[in-house]
Amino acid sequence: MKYNFDSIIDRKNTNSLKWDLFDDDYPMWVADMDFYAAPFIYESVNRKAKHGVYAYSFVNDEIFDSYINWWEKYGLAMKRDELLFATGVMPSITSIIRAFTDVGDNVLIQTPVYHVFFYVIEDNDRNVVENPLIYDSASHDVETAYSIDFDDLEEKFKDPKTKLMLLCNPHNPIGRIWDEKTLEKIAILANKYDVLVVSDEIHCDLTDPNLTYVPFASLDEDLANNSITCISPSKTFNIAGLQSSAVFTRNKELYEILEKQLSVDCFNHPNIFSIDATIAAYKSEDWLNELREVLFENKMIVDEFLKSEIPEIRLVPANATYLLWLDCSKLRGENFENCEFSTSLSEFLRENVSLFLSPGIQFGKNGDNFLRMNIAYPQDLLLEGLNALKTGIEKFKKENNI
Ligand SMILES: Cc1ncc(COP(=O)(O)O)c(C=O)c1O
């Protein structure tokens, strides 16, 4: 390996959301990685920091060229005037919801899904409408472990109040790349009922080695015409704290409305580091390729560990993201029939072994048999976390007669 994915980095006392907000020894919840940034990024940020002037900067053409070049490999040809800068994917989604729906409208999400989708819809006084994903607990195949209920989707789209769908592509927390056929079916239905598709593609680069994802916007031009795509180097390169993202749409009308809304919301001003860091990130493909190998190896370690040490927990097959979706339904004994099981289990693990995994209910009611585990750690730390999980689950079983 050319890059360092082994060092255990002390992130305590750095005002880190993951390490300092709470006191857990193994905070395997929030989606950031415990790896150093790629060298080009580190150098670019340090260059700026050393300069000593932290005043205004502007969105230059070079950053858009970086996005354009990077997405070529995904078969998506973007143009400069189809892209806008935004200070994050969630800020973009807030602006999109405000620009293209009214108070009281429905926004559709496919649960279980990234929990902030719920907040951003509700905080803007729109209604969350769920199209729950179908889970097959017996499937060992990523293509069938979770699937979309298209009949239900069509029913929800039929409601004239449903104006917008937030698509998570690849999907957090189930870790699935949506294939082209699935995306096409969504697009056909969305067009039929005039629903705007917003494709959040923040996890798109973090696929298993040798796998790639399908940008929603790479579908046939007519199918993708009523869509907006959110992209960012922040998950891929672990630079969420630098607040840099972009939105892409070929639809001129949508583009102009969104450009104005991002300006009204003041989400279009870059900070001093974000432009250079994004450009540096998209020059770091070899770092990313090593990272993907490391993450895949970590996933295999977790899979084997669970099978041999904690067989009650099942790793849901996944092919993207560094977030694993753990089916804990076998641990849901009588004591937890009528309560938030995943919250109880998550709290038990925190209290007993100082391990923080996200409770699945955070991602929707149908996530309550699950925990989400972040595996973007050096292997030594990952193994410590897994051993803590084993100890915690043994204790949980004993105390609950499971
Ligand atoms: C699907 C998804 N969208 C958006 C975000 C956050 O994006 P940002 O930090 O750019 O607002 C996350 C973070 O985990 C995510 O998983």
Side-chain angles (χ1 to χ4, degrees):
M1 285 261 165
K2 185 167 154 199
Y3 299 102
N4 177 3
F5 295 103
D6 294 325
S7 289
I8 297 189
I9 306 164
D10 183 2
R11 296 178 61 193
K12 282 260 179 208
N13 303 312
T14 62
N15 200 29
S16 151
L17 177 67
K18 189 198 255 178
W19 285 92
D20 290 324
L21 186 62
F22 307 114
D23 213 18
D24 311 279
D25 291 341
Y26 306 108
M28 298 174 130
W29 55 288
V30 68
D32 73 27
M33 302 193 275
D34 275 53
F35 300 129
Y36 288 116
F40 284 146
I41 300 173
Y42 182 80
E43 283 155 21
S44 103
V45 170
N46 273 280
R47 207 175 305 122
K48 281 275 173 194
K50 278 190 191 141
H51 186 238
V53 178
Y54 309 122
Y56 294 119
S57 54
F58 72 103
V59 181
N60 59 22
D61 279 341
E62 213 186 329
I63 188 172
F64 293 118
D65 290 341
S66 299
Y67 281 109
I68 291 167
N69 292 338
W70 190 262
W71 259 265
E72 270 173 16
K73 66 170 168 281
Y74 296 128
L76 180 62
M78 305 194 284
K79 294 199 201 91
R80 162 71 192 88
D81 60 358
E82 296 166 337
L83 283 158
L84 292 162
F85 173 87
T87 49
V89 168
M90 291 321 297
S92 306
I93 291 177
T94 291
S95 288
I96 292 168
I97 289 174
R98 287 181 198 160
F100 301 105
T101 67
D102 293 315
V103 167
D105 281 345
N106 299 341
V107 176
L108 183 137
I109 54 176
Q110 297 179 300
T111 48
V113 76
Y114 178 49
H115 55 299
V116 182
F117 282 7
F118 287 90
Y119 312 150
V120 80
I121 297 166
E122 286 162 358
D123 289 350
N124 281 298
D125 299 316
R126 274 66 167 174
N127 309 315
V128 169
V129 167
E130 293 184 40
N131 169 227
L133 297 172
I134 301 168
Y135 177 53
D136 177 357
S137 62
S139 168
H140 294 286
D141 179 0
V142 64
E143 301 295 325
T144 51
Y146 271 101
S147 51
I148 294 176
D149 182 344
F150 279 101
D151 292 337
D152 179 74
L153 185 65
E154 180 154 15
E155 277 311 305
K156 306 278 163 68
F157 275 177
K158 268 184 196 164
D159 183 342
K161 273 169 65 179
T162 306
K163 301 276 173 53
L164 194 152
M165 168 182 185
L166 289 182
L167 173 71
C168 199
N169 176 37
H171 194 104
N172 168 14
I174 65 166
R176 164 146 192 211
I177 303 169
W178 296 117
D179 57 73
E180 191 172 342
K181 259 197 188 142
T182 303
L183 296 178
E184 266 175 16
K185 275 172 94 171
I186 293 172
I188 289 166
L189 283 179
N191 281 342
K192 184 170 170 192
Y193 295 102
D194 201 19
V195 173
L196 171 66
V197 176
V198 177
S199 189
D200 175 342
E201 304 188 354
I202 196 169
H203 293 279
C204 70
D205 301 305
L206 296 170
T207 52
D208 285 356
N210 306 319
L211 288 186
T212 187
Y213 94 112
V214 185
F216 187 83
S218 68
L219 300 179
D220 185 86
E221 216 163 314
D222 289 343
L223 283 181
N225 185 45
N226 197 21
S227 76
I228 299 173
T229 300
C230 301
I231 47 181
S232 170
S234 66
K235 291 290 145 197
T236 310
F237 293 100
N238 205 27
I239 54 172
L242 296 178
Q243 300 179 314
S244 182
S245 81
V247 279
F248 167 80
T249 181
R250 283 212 180 94
N251 184 319
K252 285 280 159 258
E253 205 182 316
L254 298 180
Y255 184 94
E256 277 164 27
I257 295 169
L258 184 56
E259 184 174 33
K260 180 158 180 219
Q261 189 69 46
L262 286 168
S263 172
V264 168
D265 295 334
C266 293
F267 291 148
N268 57 352
H269 302 293
N271 70 53
I272 190 80
F273 299 110
S274 57
I275 302 294
D276 286 4
T278 300
I279 294 164
Y282 288 131
K283 288 179 182 158
S284 306
E285 191 160 12
D286 56 344
W287 180 92
L288 172 61
N289 287 336
E290 277 195 15
L291 170 75
R292 290 164 68 206
E293 297 285 347
V294 168
L295 295 177
F296 185 70
E297 215 178 295
N298 282 3
K299 182 160 58 177
M300 294 302 104
I301 289 173
V302 174
D303 193 31
E304 276 167 32
F305 189 94
L306 292 178
K307 279 180 181 141
S308 65
E309 306 296 326
I310 326 176
E312 298 84 0
I313 299 183
R314 186 181 110 91
L315 173 61
V316 176
N319 53 16
T321 83
Y322 51 78
L323 305 162
L324 298 188
W325 193 230
L326 308 182
D327 181 346
C328 303
S329 49
K330 287 196 179 138
L331 295 165
R332 188 172 194 148
E334 286 168 7
N335 292 353
F336 300 99
E337 263 164 21
N338 297 312
C339 69
E340 286 187 10
F341 164 67
S342 59
T343 308
S344 306
L345 182 57
S346 170
E347 279 172 7
F348 184 93
L349 294 171
R350 291 184 75 189
E351 279 163 23
N352 286 275
V353 290
S354 205
L355 168 70
F356 187 1
L357 305 184
S358 306
I361 195 152
Q362 220 175 46
F363 308 94
K365 285 195 193 73
N366 57 349
D368 196 32
N369 280 336
F370 300 80
L371 294 173
R372 192 190 74 174
M373 183 182 207
N374 180 338
I375 57 157
Y377 293 89
Q379 270 175 24
D380 289 349
L381 202 52
L382 178 70
L383 285 170
E384 284 185 33
L386 285 171
N387 281 316
L389 180 62
K390 182 182 170 189
T391 309
I393 295 298
E394 275 165 8
K395 202 161 180 210
F396 183 83
K397 275 170 42 190
K398 217 177 260 171
E399 288 191 17
N400 293 289
N401 296 320
I402 293 161

